[in-house]
Amino acid sequence: MLRHLLHSLVAILIMTAVTLAALEIGLRIADFRELREGVSERSLSYAYDAELGWAPVRGSTSVGVVASAPPTPEARRW
């Protein structure tokens, strides 16, 4: 009984490892680079500098959107 349980667990672990390896290989072949390297307002105006770390790109400008809370009842009266 214990031997059968051990064989089942080993088979499950091997199948899981093979499945994960196949998925990893498939995703690397598919190379969804456009999903990883999306351009957004956060990535447009900063670049990595070896001395400073992440710093604004020289001469760059960007407009960010700041989310705000909904207007209060007092503000709606105006």
Side-chain angles (χ1 to χ4, degrees), residues 7-51:
H7 283 286
S8 295
L9 288 175
V10 169
I12 290 171
L13 289 174
I14 290 173
M15 287 188 297
T16 301
V18 168
T19 302
L20 290 175
L23 285 171
E24 179 71 23
I25 291 169
L27 289 172
R28 286 184 185 260
I29 290 172
D31 191 23
F32 296 110
R33 185 172 297 155
E34 61 274 358
L35 297 178
R36 291 192 312 268
E37 297 175 358
V39 176
S40 70
E41 64 185 26
R42 293 181 181 176
S43 65
L44 290 177
S45 58
Y46 291 93
Y48 185 76
D49 182 86
E51 199 170 307

